[in-house]
Amino acid sequence: MPLSEDYMAMLKERGKKSKIYAKFQDVGLTLTNLLGDPKHKALYIKLAKQHDADKLLNLAKRVAGMKNIKNRGAYFMRVLHAKE
C-alpha cells in the first residue's frame, strides 16, 4: 500500500524523527480513542501514514456514532478497505 503524500514529503525533509511521526501518532491515537480499540493502536498509526488523515477521521467519527456495532475497529477496517 502506498504511503500518503504528506508522510513522503516529511521523510524527504527528515528533521528529528519525533517531529515526522508526531502528526501520524496523533491521528492514530485519535482513531484509537474514537473506535475504543486500544489493542490496535499501532495499526491505526500505520493507517495514518498510508491514508489521508481527514478521510480516516471522518470515517471513524461515522463508525463511532453507530450504536449497534459491537466491534467498531473491525467494522472500520471493513468499510475502509471496501472503499478502495
Side-chain angles (χ1 to χ4, degrees), residues 7 10 16-30 45 48-49 53:
Y7 182 62
M10 289 178 147
K16 284 189 173 181
K17 201 172 191 180
S18 62
K19 288 183 181 179
I20 292 173
Y21 295 113
K23 174 184 171 188
F24 304 107
Q25 287 175 339
D26 287 343
V27 172
L29 294 176
T30 302
I45 293 171
K49 294 176 185 176

Side-chain angles (χ1 to χ4, degrees), residues 24-54:
F24 304 107
Q25 287 175 339
D26 287 343
V27 172
L29 294 176
T30 302
L31 291 172
T32 300
N33 292 333
L34 282 171
L35 300 171
D37 191 12
K39 281 192 321 187
H40 296 105
K41 176 175 59 174
L43 172 66
Y44 297 129
I45 293 171
K46 183 178 178 183
L47 285 174
K49 294 176 185 176
Q50 296 173 338
H51 296 279
D52 179 51
D54 292 331

